[in-house]
Amino acid sequence: MSTKITIAIDGYSACGKSTLAKALAKALDYSFIDSGAMYRGAALFFYRQGHVSEEMMDIEAIERAIPNLDLSFKIQNTKNCLYLNNENIENEIRQVYVVNIVSKVATIKKVRTALVKQQQRMGENGGIVMDGRDIGSVVFPNAQLKIFVTASPEIRAQRRFTELRQKGIPQSLEEVQLNLTKRDHIDSTREESPLVQVQDAIVLDNSKLTKEEQLEWALEKARKIISSMH
Ligand code: DC
């Protein structure tokens, strides 16, 4: 049996991290966890409780509510879906009102601590591909393969715009661009585990690569590491 490694994929919003992580996990028969979905799920939960909106955020109330936050992934029709208690929230967490508050919620230290703990538990046996902002730096600092994905801001905005359109979520290209710029800023300047490119990460600029080319690139890196471990 081949050794199962841990793969961390980090990068800015909308640069195709989840698409690559999902494809890589499938090719290697590993599990895939979209950690951004968990921050979105947490944001949705606190929003519904009235603790956060675009205009306000009650950090103390959020911190008190953390023990009641119950997020889990379940397979639904071969798709890995995020559940909040018993509700499938996979579509709801992609809505604009969640997108607009999630970076704020992700700055709260106690929220991060709770989610990181759960993420580490999910990956304790290896054989996992997880994507996010702090996977190589905080969640799995010992991951055998760390990839930092980048793409030009214009290409990222265009990709996210097309994706939202396909999902029937109305937002103009300008609104998408503005949201991405805002999120990039919050994610990379926050005090608590900001988005950083760790020293041992390999950079993948996918501005001009197809999904297939990216997968091929990542698979080659992963297979090399796996075979060196025998
Ligand atoms: O990857 P995404 O767009 O679904 O992430 C949603 C938000 O969650 C994003 O603004 C940054 C935050 N996030 C984070 O702080 N740490 C992670 N590991 C993943 C996401």
Side-chain angles (χ1 to χ4, degrees):
M1 206 181 83
S2 71
T3 316
K4 294 206 161 193
I5 63 167
T6 298
I7 302 176
I9 303 186
D10 290 298
Y12 291 103
S13 296
C15 62
K17 299 182 302 290
S18 293
T19 308
L20 173 63
K22 203 184 292 176
L24 191 56
K26 193 169 171 211
L28 293 168
D29 197 20
Y30 282 14
S31 52
F32 156 65
I33 297 293
D34 170 0
S35 72
M38 297 172 73
Y39 286 92
R40 288 165 183 257
L44 175 66
F45 176 68
F46 300 130
Y47 172 85
R48 286 180 175 174
Q49 301 230 323
H51 301 328
V52 60
S53 68
E54 273 189 62
E55 291 76 36
M56 56 74 71
M57 181 158 77
D58 184 341
I59 297 179
E60 281 175 20
I62 287 178
E63 289 177 350
R64 276 196 301 274
I66 291 173
N68 304 322
L69 174 64
D70 177 13
L71 295 171
S72 56
F73 286 97
K74 291 179 197 165
I75 308 277
Q76 274 295 324
N77 302 326
T78 72
K79 223 184 132 205
N80 208 11
C81 295
L82 185 68
Y83 276 71
L84 176 60
N85 298 310
N86 288 319
E87 179 191 351
N88 182 338
I89 54 167
E90 198 53 42
N91 289 330
E92 206 56 29
I93 57 170
R94 311 287 160 198
Q95 300 297 320
V96 173
Y97 75 96
V98 177
V99 174
N100 287 344
I101 56 167
V102 63
S103 292
K104 277 205 305 194
V105 172
T107 61
I108 303 174
K109 182 175 181 161
K110 287 188 180 165
V111 171
R112 302 201 68 85
T113 307
L115 295 188
V116 167
K117 210 191 252 177
Q118 192 175 353
Q119 289 154 4
Q120 288 173 334
R121 240 182 285 130
M122 291 168 167
E124 63 196 358
N125 298 322
I128 191 167
V129 185
M130 191 177 288
D131 78 288
R133 306 291 187 293
D134 60 344
I135 311 305
S137 58
V138 176
V139 182
F140 300 130
N142 297 324
Q144 291 90 346
L145 175 58
K146 297 180 184 179
I147 300 173
F148 189 86
V149 190
T150 65
S152 77
E154 296 75 27
I155 287 183
R156 291 195 283 132
Q158 188 59 51
R159 281 180 186 157
R160 182 51 57 95
F161 174 68
T162 310
E163 185 188 316
L164 289 174
R165 265 195 125 167
Q166 281 164 354
K167 287 185 178 158
I169 300 173
Q171 231 187 2
S172 70
L173 184 59
E174 289 70 33
E175 282 172 318
V176 173
Q177 252 157 354
L178 195 68
N179 176 266
L180 284 183
T181 313
K182 236 182 177 171
R183 283 211 285 158
D184 284 352
H185 179 74
I186 300 178
D187 294 343
S188 49
T189 57
R190 69 177 175 227
E191 206 166 301
E192 210 45 55
S193 32
L195 169 66
V196 284
Q197 183 195 319
V198 288
Q199 218 195 345
D200 52 344
I202 313 172
V203 178
L204 169 65
D205 182 341
N206 68 13
S207 301
K208 294 194 178 121
L209 296 180
T210 64
K211 287 176 190 170
E212 293 72 25
E213 287 166 336
Q214 291 175 61
L215 175 61
E216 206 178 303
W217 179 94
L219 259 181
E220 195 206 311
K221 306 275 177 223
R223 289 195 171 126
K224 220 180 238 171
I225 295 168
I226 294 167
S227 62
S228 75
M229 290 175 70
H230 288 139

